Amino acid sequence: MTTVDGLVFLGASHFGYQLDAAKALAGMDAVGTAVAIAAPMHPHRGGFAAANDAVTEAARSSDGRLIPLCRVDPWEGEAAIAELRRAVREGARGVFLHPSEEHFRINDARIRPLVEDAAELAVPVMVAAGYHLFAEPLQLGAAAQWTPDNPFVLTNGGQFNISGMAQFDAELALRNGNVHVQTSGMYREDFLERVVATFGPERLLFASAAPIFTMAYERLRVDLAHFSGKEAELILGGNAARIFGGVSR
């Protein structure tokens, strides 16, 4: 089984954290992860084009261990769509959107052309999920409905506040067949187990979201949950390989 970490961030963030490719690969080695999906951080200054190029170049130099996503700022309108198209031509396997760090509501109509363009390019959309007012589960579900045949991957289980109502809302978002959720930050294994029991193991992806979270600790979320061997194989790598492609190890 090839273990795929569904999300690591590369670069130096405007918000104070950083991770370079060498340290990411060393961390992956320490926990037995073969491949990781890599997204750029929000750069301290400048646009996303340079950050996208840096992640793509790191992926090219990683012997297949890093699969790049591009990141764009929807406030840039047509320029964001142009950057998405350019980055995909350069090798990006999906687009990462962070409503909180870029300050937009994921279900705002102005975001729709970008999401639809990703579908036309046949690349999945990954969204930093669970942020109050910007990317709450019902907002995410509404945005996923714009492109029902294109994968829409949500970090953090689709929600941060895992009280009863937030979990219920995340499950409402999962009623959209293109919605998938990641394990990052989800400290309740019963929620992860319920996602698998209700929607199938194909809808859950292991992700560490390093360096925001710790690779070893995030791996334990899957290892300690009650999944069958076949379910764990999908969660730990099979689903990411199917959605993002490019996994050859």
Side-chain angles (χ1 to χ4, degrees):
M1 178 184 71
T2 298
T3 301
V4 182
D5 186 333
L7 178 63
V8 300
F9 293 99
L10 296 183
S13 172
H14 175 75
F15 300 98
Y17 50 91
Q18 60 185 349
L19 182 68
D20 62 29
K23 290 181 179 178
L25 292 169
M28 291 160 58
D29 288 339
V31 298
T33 296
V35 177
I37 311 299
M41 297 186 188
H42 184 107
H44 182 61
R45 287 186 175 87
F48 281 116
N52 290 333
D53 288 344
V55 171
T56 299
E57 182 55 36
R60 288 179 182 144
S61 303
S62 70
D63 192 26
R65 299 195 64 195
L66 297 173
I67 295 175
L69 303 181
C70 66
R71 182 168 172 172
V72 297
D73 184 348
W75 288 111
E76 296 180 354
E78 289 297 324
I81 292 176
E83 173 58 17
L84 167 61
R85 294 172 180 171
R86 185 197 70 85
V88 170
R89 288 195 302 270
E90 292 296 317
R93 305 303 295 261
V95 59
F96 179 82
L97 301 175
H98 203 308
S100 178
E101 290 189 352
E102 275 76 78
H103 304 291
F104 63 89
R105 289 185 296 111
I106 189 60
N107 62 330
D108 190 305
R110 289 168 290 190
I111 312 304
R112 184 168 184 163
L114 184 59
V115 172
E116 291 178 337
D117 208 69
E120 290 179 10
L121 293 167
V123 296
V125 175
M126 185 186 296
V127 184
Y131 294 90
H132 180 55
L133 299 179
F134 294 115
E136 298 188 53
L138 297 184
Q139 293 174 304
L140 293 157
Q145 291 173 6
W146 294 333
T147 54
D149 295 323
N150 197 45
F152 205 79
V153 180
L154 311 181
T155 69
N156 312 320
Q159 38 83 39
F160 270 138
N161 176 14
I162 59 173
S163 63
M165 288 304 296
Q167 290 186 52
F168 179 74
D169 287 349
E171 292 176 16
L172 287 177
L174 278 159
R175 291 185 183 181
N176 297 288
N178 61 329
V179 170
H180 305 73
V181 297
Q182 295 182 332
T183 60
S184 54
M186 289 294 98
Y187 64 85
R188 285 188 56 171
E189 278 77 23
D190 61 333
F191 172 75
L192 301 178
E193 292 163 1
R194 192 163 63 252
V195 168
V196 169
T198 304
F199 301 100
E202 299 82 7
R203 307 287 291 282
L204 184 65
L205 287 73
F206 159 62
S208 71
I212 298 173
F213 300 121
T214 304
M215 287 185 181
Y217 194 86
E218 293 303 315
R219 172 60 189 266
L220 285 174
R221 298 192 193 283
V222 179
D223 291 343
L224 294 178
H226 296 88
F227 298 130
S228 71
K230 186 174 182 179
E231 290 169 344
E233 285 186 9
L234 290 172
I235 296 163
L236 285 169
N239 294 333
R242 182 186 74 251
I243 292 169
F244 296 99
V247 177
S248 58
R249 300 181 69 86

